[in-house]
Amino acid sequence: VGQLYKDMPDWQKDIADSVLAHARKTASESVEGLEAPEVRTELAYANAVSTLIAASRQAQMVVVGSQGIGALGRLLLGSV
């Protein structure tokens, strides 16, 4: 598919990378003492619906989160 974030402003990419790093750390810490499942994160700056449909074709599970940032944050960062 290529770089899905090539048109993303740098400041948005930096924030998104930070959120993904925090999510990976939280997932890893939540299974402490157990064998951690394979986790893959992907950053996409694209239409949410078509991107999620494409991701779900190759995944056993797709987890989508929200930062609870409110309407202004969603306007600036996107809804997913």
Side-chain angles (χ1 to χ4, degrees):
V1 177
Q3 287 188 327
L4 295 177
Y5 52 85
K6 69 180 178 123
D7 295 326
M8 178 183 273
D10 288 340
W11 66 271
Q12 283 185 324
K13 184 174 181 316
D14 292 342
I15 292 171
D17 287 338
S18 175
V19 170
L20 288 176
H22 180 71
R24 283 189 296 271
K25 180 180 177 193
T26 300
S28 176
E29 290 172 351
S30 70
V31 295
E32 190 173 315
L34 302 172
E35 182 179 343
E38 178 185 349
V39 175
R40 190 181 107 210
T41 59
E42 185 171 321
L43 173 60
Y45 187 69
N47 177 281
V49 174
S50 59
T51 302
L52 290 170
I53 290 171
S56 69
R57 289 187 181 122
Q58 299 173 346
Q60 292 178 342
M61 179 186 303
V62 176
V63 179
V64 179
S66 170
Q67 287 294 302
I69 53 178
L72 179 59
R74 282 192 303 276
L75 176 67
L76 296 172
L77 297 175
S79 62
V80 181

